Amino acid sequence: MQTIRVMEIPKMKAVYSGPLSTDEAFMGFNKWFSDYHASLKCELFPRDFMWYNERIGAQEWFYALPEHADISQIKDYEIVDLPSGLYAVASCLDADLDEAKDWMGTREEVMNWVKESELFDLYVNDEGKEERYPMFHIVSPGRLFHKGISIENLYVPIIEKK
């Protein structure tokens, strides 16, 4: 059983990749945010979040900007609001390590945990509501991937029951 945490992502600005429909788009955004993140001093945690947008059928990537970021320097990507709110969060293997077996199992465990919860419900995308999907980011150092070490945090959007 995965350890499930409830976290809240506050409203903040993020750099948005656009739909990642080509390897070039994926690698371009990866390079941009990796270079940007490396330029920040004293950063302990990843600021990038990826999800699969079910409505448009494409992966999208967000990079949460630091509070005092100079957005005038960001030329190639759109600035948007990071999908905020409550999330049930658990860790799993990077989907690239095991063909998403652990990711899918962890997602199922988290969703079942929420469905059985007396406090929370799964978030549902409806007309006029902020679009939110399960998202993830890698939390282990990228240089360890070739050694089989790559852990993600998986975020499943939730709401409090009324």
Side-chain angles (χ1 to χ4, degrees), residues 45-158:
F45 208 74
R47 291 178 163 273
D48 67 300
F49 295 87
M50 183 181 281
W51 72 18
Y52 180 76
N53 184 321
E54 297 167 11
R55 180 180 50 79
I56 66 170
Q59 287 183 315
E60 299 173 308
W61 219 336
F62 301 90
Y63 181 85
L65 288 166
E67 183 178 4
H68 300 293
D70 181 0
I71 61 174
S72 69
Q73 296 178 348
I74 301 164
K75 305 283 187 222
D76 297 329
Y77 298 100
E78 183 180 356
I79 306 297
V80 299
D81 291 327
L82 183 69
S84 59
L86 292 175
Y87 290 84
V89 183
S91 297
C92 61
L93 286 177
D94 181 329
D96 290 336
L97 290 179
D98 69 348
E99 298 178 349
K101 183 178 176 184
D102 192 45
W103 192 95
M104 295 298 287
T106 301
R107 182 177 182 263
E108 186 69 26
E109 285 184 50
V110 172
M111 293 180 87
N112 287 338
W113 180 85
V114 175
K115 289 174 186 174
E116 295 171 8
S117 171
E118 294 179 11
L119 300 175
F120 303 105
D121 279 322
L122 291 169
Y123 183 85
V124 176
N125 287 315
D126 283 329
E127 184 84 24
K129 290 173 63 177
E130 179 181 35
E131 202 165 20
R132 293 170 63 199
Y133 299 100
M135 59 186 183
F136 65 90
H137 61 200
I138 307 295
V139 295
S140 52
R143 71 180 184 279
L144 299 177
F145 182 84
H146 73 282
K147 295 180 180 182
I149 299 172
S150 190
I151 305 298
E152 329 185 323
N153 278 342
L154 171 61
Y155 292 70
V156 174
I158 60 175

Side-chain angles (χ1 to χ4, degrees), residues 30-47:
N30 186 38
K31 179 174 178 8
W32 177 87
F33 92 76
S34 295
D35 290 348
Y36 184 88
H37 192 77
S39 75
L40 301 176
K41 296 192 185 315
C42 300
E43 281 292 311
L44 292 175
F45 208 74
R47 291 178 163 273

